[in-house]
Amino acid sequence: MGTSQYDPRPPDRRAWNSGWKVGAKRALKPKQVWAIRFFLDQHHRIRNRALFDLAIDSKLRGCDVVKIRIGDLVASGQIRSRAIVVQSKTGKPVQFELMADARASLLTWLERRGGTLADYAFPSRLDYKDHLSARQYARLVQEWVMSIGLRREEYGTHSLRRTKASIIYKATGNLRAVQILLGHSKIENTVRYLGVDVEDALALAENTEI
């Protein structure tokens, strides 16, 4: 589609995403997850380590990760091994597990953070009563992936959401389980989200004997 002399838009104006890779972001590999954890620990980034671990284990969208409240994660003074939140996009609840590493990093952060069960786990630095913004979370993710030599254009907040789901799928081939964990209403959405293709299906078939 061309432009006209009557088009009020400046002809040399670049698109907002010019030079950026758009589309699905890559999931992290296990060794990359541990590399980011090492970087955050090395630099004593307690809040960021807890946020990263929560994002990986919860498999939540960024808009839901930043709105997690302390009460969603804590029960009787301990970090829950399983938690449940209502997704902003669908309005439906989704459960997730918190593994030992995530529970440890979250406990360390929340002990330093303080607050009540009704407070956000990751408050905004501009307004302590508000939550960390999704934009700031996205900036942190870019910082984390760049710290281990990855291209920021290829990774984003959805990379963290996809990471554990992709690992579970590759290990089990169980799309239905991954669908439940991601909170997808249709399995077709899970297929597209994971990028499942014919090669994946054939590889699973080849490893299954009857």
Side-chain angles (χ1 to χ4, degrees):
M1 182 176 178
T3 57
S4 164
Q5 61 178 319
Y6 303 108
D7 190 340
R9 182 180 61 186
D12 59 345
R13 182 177 178 182
R14 300 179 65 192
W16 68 270
N17 58 352
S18 177
W20 286 77
K21 180 180 178 181
V22 296
K25 300 297 185 180
R26 293 187 178 186
L28 295 171
K29 298 177 180 178
K31 65 179 181 180
Q32 294 168 339
V33 170
W34 283 105
I36 290 175
R37 284 173 173 162
F38 179 79
F39 166 79
L40 296 175
D41 287 345
Q42 189 178 41
H43 290 82
H44 309 291
R45 307 283 287 276
I46 295 174
R47 181 198 67 160
N48 287 8
R49 170 64 194 270
L51 180 60
F52 177 73
D53 285 346
L54 174 64
I56 292 293
D57 274 3
S58 71
K59 303 168 287 294
L60 291 171
R61 297 176 181 87
C63 60
D64 292 323
V65 171
V66 297
K67 294 177 182 177
I68 288 280
R69 295 182 186 270
I70 295 176
D72 296 325
L73 303 172
V74 175
S76 302
Q78 300 293 323
I79 303 297
R80 301 173 186 266
S81 59
R82 291 186 180 181
I84 183 170
V85 299
V86 176
Q87 301 173 99
S88 300
K89 183 176 181 179
T90 65
K92 296 180 179 180
V94 63
Q95 296 188 63
F96 57 89
E97 76 293 344
L98 290 169
M99 305 302 287
D101 285 310
R103 294 198 302 271
S105 62
L106 283 166
L107 181 61
T108 299
W109 161 244
L110 292 177
E111 285 179 341
R112 170 177 290 193
R113 185 239 183 277
T116 69
L117 295 178
D119 291 331
Y120 291 110
F122 301 97
S124 166
R125 289 179 175 174
L126 299 178
D127 182 357
Y128 213 62
K129 293 183 179 180
D130 198 3
H131 59 76
L132 178 75
S133 71
R135 178 168 295 191
Q136 180 59 23
Y137 172 51
R139 291 195 190 104
L140 289 172
V141 172
Q142 288 190 344
E143 176 189 330
W144 299 339
V145 298
M146 291 174 63
S147 73
I148 62 169
L150 300 178
R151 292 171 56 86
R152 68 175 186 173
E153 296 88 352
E154 298 179 352
Y155 297 86
T157 57
H158 266 284
S159 297
L160 275 58
R161 172 164 159 78
R162 293 181 65 199
T163 292
K164 196 165 186 179
S166 297
I167 293 171
I168 292 170
Y169 171 70
K170 288 179 181 179
T172 67
N174 192 331
L175 274 174
R176 174 58 179 160
V178 175
Q179 176 194 2
I180 293 171
L181 293 171
L182 289 173
H184 285 163
S185 58
K186 298 180 180 179
I187 201 163
E188 291 85 353
N189 296 337
T190 308
V191 170
R192 287 194 297 271
Y193 195 77
L194 294 180
V196 178
D197 55 22
V198 175
E199 288 301 320
D200 292 322
L202 289 175
L204 289 171
E206 288 169 350
N207 290 325
T208 304
E209 295 185 8
I210 298 177

